[in-house]
Amino acid sequence: MANKYLNYFVDKGFTYVDKFTVKGDIRGYRVNAAYNPMNGLPVMHIAFYSTENQRIAVEQVLKAKAYTRFKYNFDQFGLLLMFQDMTIGAWLKRIDEIIATIFDALEENQILGAKYCPVCGKELGENVEEHKLNGVTIAIDNDCIATINKQIDKENASFDEQPNNYGLGTVGALIGGVAGLAVFIVLYLAGFIGALSAFVSMIVGEILYKKFGGKPNKMMVVILSATTVVFMLGGMFGTTLIECGKLAADAGANISNLEAFKIIMNNADGQKWFWSNMLMTTLFTLFGIVWEIVRLVQSIKRPNKV
């Protein structure tokens, strides 16, 4: 889908920035288009300089259109568009209309385009270098670059000075693990083993880790991942013990869950049953963790100077 989506723009004269991103101009505005391989959703960014009133006017147009499966957000450099179509065919059927609506609104409100700095509105000179900022490649006035770099230094220094409460953060991660475990048990009792429980553990753990004072850094990713592994595999072992005890009770044996588990593990079929479940749990857990690690690594990445 990535190539089909990006080819729409390449056919309009866009050039590749990397495997999943292209850049070009539409009606005098610099546009970046990208395909997110993590969620399979296409995004566009239109760079421009505008006043608050101009942004409000454009937003009123978009609200009036009320496009479904479509989100937008104004940022420091222009407008970010996010599409949620289920197929590339559905997206292609309506993208021309959406693009026409947006660029008509930009032109009608006399919003400054590619010839002007999207930060300050100053007219750009010849041969101005382009820079990649927040994932978009745009040209910016040199004075604005210096200002942005100062702001980045300030934000990074502030982040470094923030207190980091690993202890309470870990408590938050453990609560996330409990939430994931609850989902795991529900799915297991319904006859399923899936990655949903790992997702819940990581996402809830992340929210509470930060809420309880943990700093969003690499250590947070390690703690969340380790907690999720322990709770998911522990959940698998715990539910297995309970199931073994139930089987023993149904057979009239007055033994503990652990003793019942040992008896079942002495049987080849019992071993196959247990280890196949553990393998499936491990694979789905790792899938969920790796997926979330990729997302978390992007979210905790500190901005670099231009």
Side-chain angles (χ1 to χ4, degrees):
M1 182 174 176
N3 289 336
K4 292 181 179 179
Y5 166 67
L6 297 178
N7 283 343
Y8 170 87
F9 296 97
V10 172
D11 290 342
K12 295 181 180 296
F14 280 49
T15 58
Y16 275 89
V17 176
D18 55 46
K19 184 178 180 181
F20 296 106
T21 311
V22 294
K23 66 176 182 177
D25 291 340
I26 296 180
R27 289 164 64 169
Y29 294 88
R30 172 44 56 98
V31 176
N32 282 250
Y35 177 83
N36 187 338
M38 288 298 297
N39 57 27
L41 298 178
V43 296
M44 283 177 62
H45 185 274
I46 308 168
F48 55 74
Y49 174 79
S50 63
T51 64
E52 183 65 26
N53 287 337
Q54 287 173 319
R55 293 190 179 206
I56 291 174
V58 173
E59 187 168 18
Q60 287 175 341
V61 171
L62 292 174
K63 285 183 176 179
K65 287 292 184 179
Y67 292 116
T68 59
R69 304 179 306 281
F70 170 76
K71 293 183 179 181
Y72 61 89
N73 180 51
F74 289 96
D75 64 16
Q76 184 181 6
F77 308 115
L79 179 64
L80 178 66
L81 312 176
M82 295 157 282
F83 303 93
Q84 299 173 325
D85 299 272
M86 297 298 292
T87 65
I88 185 65
W91 180 81
L92 287 171
K93 287 180 180 178
R94 68 194 191 116
I95 184 59
D96 287 334
E97 179 195 345
I98 294 176
I99 286 179
T101 297
I102 293 172
F103 285 97
D104 285 347
L106 294 178
E107 291 176 351
E108 288 170 5
N109 288 279
Q110 300 180 334
I111 292 177
L112 302 178
K115 293 182 179 180
Y116 301 87
C117 174
V119 178
C120 68
K122 184 188 298 184
E123 187 170 3
L124 298 171
E126 296 292 331
N127 301 320
V128 177
E129 288 187 28
E130 290 187 322
H131 302 275
K132 193 167 186 178
L133 296 165
N134 296 342
V136 296
T137 302
I138 49 178
I140 296 180
D141 180 75
N142 289 332
D143 290 338
C144 290
I145 291 175
T147 301
I148 291 171
N149 283 336
K150 287 181 181 178
Q151 182 63 29
I152 290 173
D153 284 338
K154 182 178 179 181
E155 291 176 358
N156 286 339
S158 176
F159 179 82
D160 291 339
E161 293 171 0
Q162 287 179 13
N164 187 11
N165 196 324
Y166 284 120
L168 289 178
T170 301
V171 171
L174 291 173
I175 295 175
V178 171
L181 177 60
V183 173
F184 175 87
I185 293 173
V186 170
L187 289 175
Y188 185 82
L189 293 177
F192 299 100
I193 296 175
L196 179 61
S197 52
F199 282 119
V200 171
S201 175
M202 294 286 286
I203 293 172
V204 174
E206 176 198 2
I207 294 171
L208 296 180
Y209 185 94
K210 292 188 285 190
K211 186 176 181 63
F212 290 174
K215 185 181 289 189
N217 54 19
K218 292 179 181 179
M219 183 56 68
M220 177 189 75
V221 178
V222 172
I223 291 174
L224 290 175
S225 301
T227 301
T228 298
V229 169
V230 170
F231 272 88
M232 296 307 101
L233 296 187
M236 181 70 251
F237 184 69
T239 51
T240 299
L241 286 180
I242 294 173
E243 196 164 356
C244 289
K246 186 175 181 300
L247 289 172
D250 291 342
N254 186 22
I255 57 177
S256 68
N257 292 354
L258 183 59
E259 289 173 325
F261 172 74
K262 290 179 179 179
I263 292 173
I264 288 177
M265 288 300 288
N266 285 328
N267 179 277
D269 289 337
Q271 292 180 15
K272 182 179 179 180
W273 166 70
F274 172 73
W275 288 115
S276 63
N277 280 345
M278 285 296 287
L279 177 61
M280 291 297 292
T281 300
T282 301
L283 291 177
F284 279 113
T285 297
L286 290 178
F287 174 79
I289 289 174
V290 171
W291 188 281
E292 282 300 300
I293 285 176
V294 173
R295 181 186 65 82
L296 288 171
V297 168
Q298 292 296 320
S299 70
I300 66 175
K301 187 182 295 183
R302 302 305 305 163
N304 295 319
K305 293 197 295 184
V306 180

